[in-house]
Amino acid sequence: MDIISFSKHILDHRIDRRKEHSVETIVYIAMAAVICGAESWGEIEAFGICKKDFFARQ
């Protein structure tokens, strides 16, 4: 099972109106950021913003 398929089974407790990104997207970006050296949520966020165009193409 790939990580995206696995992450689709994660229960999302967020309020619907506050959901800007899917859980799958958050997990994917967080894992990519950590592999690239991110060590905090702030660094994961910065990575996601920096790579926004790349992730939009996927």
Side-chain angles (χ1 to χ4, degrees), residues 33-48:
V34 169
I35 289 170
C36 291
E39 295 182 349
S40 69
W41 285 112
E43 290 179 357
I44 291 170
E45 179 185 18
F47 177 87

Side-chain angles (χ1 to χ4, degrees), residues 16-58:
D16 283 339
R17 70 177 187 273
R18 300 283 309 201
K19 294 180 184 178
E20 187 174 340
H21 304 288
S22 68
V23 170
E24 299 87 35
T25 301
I26 294 168
V27 169
Y28 182 74
I29 292 172
M31 289 186 62
V34 169
I35 289 170
C36 291
E39 295 182 349
S40 69
W41 285 112
E43 290 179 357
I44 291 170
E45 179 185 18
F47 177 87
I49 291 168
C50 180
K51 302 295 183 183
K52 184 176 181 177
D53 292 338
F54 171 78
F55 289 117
R57 292 186 305 219
Q58 304 307 314

